[in-house]
Amino acid sequence: MLKLVQFHPAFGVRDMSPFCLKLETYLRMAGIEHEVVWNSNPRSAPKGKLPCIVDGDVVMGDSSLIIDYLKVKFGDPLDERLSAAH
Ligand SMILES: N[C@@H](CCC(=O)N[C@@H](CS)C(=O)NCC(=O)O)C(=O)O
């Protein structure tokens, strides 16, 4: 199963990083099955920052690049019905 690596929850917030929060929210809204892995050491991530994902042999950082990758792999259930006008 796809793993989302992100910081631990803190101060009642799921993740203090807006990038982690964005990506986890995307995964949940898009209905992509995933497992969250808590990690407080971003140095272990490919770009030295979190979030990152581990999807089989693919290890990828940067929330925007990850969402692009997820759209190619799983389709775009949130925005696929939108046109340039809507
Ligand atoms: N462009 C990246 C930014 C990720 C990022 O800046 N993550 C921060 C937390 S908000 C981080 O891991 N910082 C650790 C550090 O710089 O040591 C993304 O969209 O995922």
Side-chain angles (χ1 to χ4, degrees), residues 21-38:
L21 207 51
K22 173 180 87 171
L23 183 55
E24 184 175 17
T25 301
Y26 179 84
L27 285 162
R28 293 166 68 187
M29 289 183 71
I32 298 170
E33 201 178 351
H34 63 282
E35 172 190 343
V36 174
V37 177
W38 310 119

Side-chain angles (χ1 to χ4, degrees), residues 7 17-19 22 42-43 48-51 62-64:
F7 298 103
S17 159
F19 304 103
K22 173 180 87 171
R43 298 292 167 256
K49 295 187 177 202
L50 294 174
D62 192 286
S63 57
S64 294

